[in-house]
Amino acid sequence: MQQILVIAKQTFKEAVRNKILFIFIILGLITICGSVFMPVVGDGREKIKIVESMCFRSITFFGTLAAVLLSASSIPTDIENKVLSTVTAKPVQRINIIFGKILGFVYIIGVLLLIMGSVSYVLIRVTALKESSQGGRGLLAREKFDPVDLQIAGDSARKIGNVSWIGGGKEAAVWKFKGLYSKDKNDDLEIEANFLIEAKKKSIGKIPVKVKIINPSSARVLTESMEISRNKPLFFKLNSKSLDGSGELTVVVSPENPDDFLGIRSDSLRLFWGEKSFGCNYLKGLIVISTQFFLMVIIAVLGSTFLSLPVNILFCLFVFFCGNITDFMRDLSTVINVIETREHDHGISGVMQKSNVLLVYLNNIIKKPILLLSYILPDFRYFSVGKYFIDGINIPGIKILMGFGYAVLYTLFCLPISFFVFKRKEIA
């Protein structure tokens, strides 16, 4: 253990002396502070969203670059400068060198997050205070409730990728929510609907829908007619007293016109209720991001045991890029089907009648290799938290546990390979 701590301390000192670390910190702080000057269209909440988004994107981007470049260059640089040959001449196990390097970069990650995270938090707080004084909603950390069940009623509904299309008149989407309790929650329930639409006339950017809100316990039914606009979410509130303490709610949505179509995804309807501390939520976000940095350090150290410095950096950046587009890689069929939809004069209604054979074969040939690659490379969706802050959602504990567990599993896969390769590596 003493050897690991000594190597970690030396690695930390070398990284601090490296100008790359300070360059990325300075660039990150400039980007973070520059977010307050971004133009805003909308209310004060939009300004807060922009600042939050830029802060977390800057921390993630520059923090990842710093973690990759420093950890990828450490072992090759030490070999070139004959540092490792001096260390290995002493009774130091090579496995301790790997552990010491990783621990040293963990220290660096902590310093980087402390500096950039503190500045971001102060900036977000100041922006929220300013906007709140002008009537804005301020900082939000709402509790989000996901539906326990989604059912599509209707025989002619068509599923394309992860989107189910329902027509007006005979089809409907039914969401069921559970675990809603009115204890210590006096706020109204906020329901956000975000659907894809296909109107009979393409020039029309909105369609009428019928929304039914049902309390299964008391059998109370609230029916409203609303208009869904293209690329614009619909918000409506519900008094918490309508739950009658049952904790369950059913929401039914269906297009009113027979020739209109509604595109439904599992996350098309979200329910918010209750508030949590923003400071605690922000800290949870930094914890999740730090786990991503740690995973990138593990991958960079693995690459440095058998790749040259330039190739290792390119390898790490490739992994980071692919790890952030796994949704696209795993759902390529949706993209292809969207192209297919646009080939028809009548949009989704045309696709239901006829499919393009070439695009079907293209989907089958391309999708499987990319799908395999998406499961081999790390999936950084587990560490994405920016959307939680943009939408004002409290990060659930399961998100942190899943990110940490995923990083541990990937580490257990990468570390043995690093030990095996580095043990047999020639250090002269």
Side-chain angles (χ1 to χ4, degrees), residues 63 67 104-114 289-290 293-294 297:
F105 293 122
V106 169
Y107 296 159
I108 293 296
I109 291 172
V111 172
L112 188 144
L113 284 175
L114 179 63
I289 292 177
S290 66
F293 292 166
F294 173 77
V297 166

Side-chain angles (χ1 to χ4, degrees), residues 375-393:
Y375 282 107
I376 295 175
L377 297 175
D379 187 352
F380 288 114
R381 289 182 304 168
Y382 290 98
F383 314 107
S384 178
V385 296
K387 190 167 178 58
Y388 284 91
F389 290 92
I390 294 174
D391 294 341
I393 301 173

Side-chain angles (χ1 to χ4, degrees), residues 295 298-299 319 375-379 405-415:
L295 182 56
I298 295 295
I299 295 172
V319 169
Y375 282 107
I376 295 175
L377 297 175
D379 187 352
Y406 186 82
V408 169
L409 290 176
Y410 219 87
T411 300
L412 293 177
F413 171 77
C414 292
L415 278 184

